[in-house]
Amino acid sequence: MQFKIKSIRPFLGSKNYTESRLFYKDLGFNESILSSNMSYFSTANFGFYLQDAYVKDWVDNTMVFMEIENVEEFWESLKALHLNEKYPTAKLVPIRYLDWGKECFLHDPSGILWHFGAFNP
């Protein structure tokens, strides 16, 4: 079967919906409010749905990988946002250099783990 895929949009939960909305706006995403309990966050051709829904096992096991062009520049931009100061449960993890490429990590206020990485050519 062949598809002409236009996008993949994961659904993310949030422990504190208001805080998570502010976090993702501070991270640089644009918010489109869809209802009182769901928003769509986007940048360029990438996006995800944020829900006012929290199931601990689901959120604790949610990870998103976002491929970026320059991990070092992205890392410096992340640090400059001081997200872990504004959101005490947010956590930044420095760049790791691996056989397949490199990545850094960000835990959002609910604990969702974001991987920001680039593959080796």
Side-chain angles (χ1 to χ4, degrees), residues 64-75:
V64 179
F65 182 92
M66 189 164 88
E67 185 178 1
I68 55 178
E69 288 185 8
N70 187 311
V71 177
E72 288 81 7
E73 285 180 15
F74 194 83
W75 171 249

Side-chain angles (χ1 to χ4, degrees), residues 24-43:
Y24 285 113
K25 287 191 268 188
D26 285 347
L27 191 54
F29 288 97
N30 299 307
E31 180 183 22
S32 298
I33 298 171
L34 304 176
S35 69
S36 62
N37 61 357
M38 188 174 348
S39 288
Y40 178 67
F41 285 87
S42 62
T43 181

Side-chain angles (χ1 to χ4, degrees), residues 4 7 22 36 39 42 50 66 84 98 112 114 120:
K4 292 183 181 180
S7 71
L22 292 172
S36 62
S39 288
S42 62
L50 181 71
M66 189 164 88
N84 53 335
L98 306 159
I112 291 174
W114 284 78
N120 290 333

Side-chain angles (χ1 to χ4, degrees), residues 7-95:
S7 71
I8 293 177
R9 299 178 179 189
F11 287 77
L12 305 181
S14 59
K15 194 172 195 175
N16 178 324
Y17 185 59
T18 300
E19 180 182 47
S20 291
R21 289 176 60 212
L22 292 172
F23 175 83
Y24 285 113
K25 287 191 268 188
D26 285 347
L27 191 54
F29 288 97
N30 299 307
E31 180 183 22
S32 298
I33 298 171
L34 304 176
S35 69
S36 62
N37 61 357
M38 188 174 348
S39 288
Y40 178 67
F41 285 87
S42 62
T43 181
N45 295 323
F46 172 79
F48 62 92
Y49 297 101
L50 181 71
Q51 301 176 91
D52 185 9
Y54 180 73
V55 176
K56 183 175 176 18
D57 287 344
W58 168 46
V59 171
D60 285 352
N61 288 290
T62 299
M63 292 185 276
V64 179
F65 182 92
M66 189 164 88
E67 185 178 1
I68 55 178
E69 288 185 8
N70 187 311
V71 177
E72 288 81 7
E73 285 180 15
F74 194 83
W75 171 249
E76 292 302 321
S77 296
L78 278 177
K79 289 192 316 185
L81 294 173
H82 302 285
L83 294 171
N84 53 335
E85 294 171 18
K86 189 170 182 182
Y87 305 95
T89 56
K91 180 181 170 188
L92 279 170
V93 180
I95 299 171

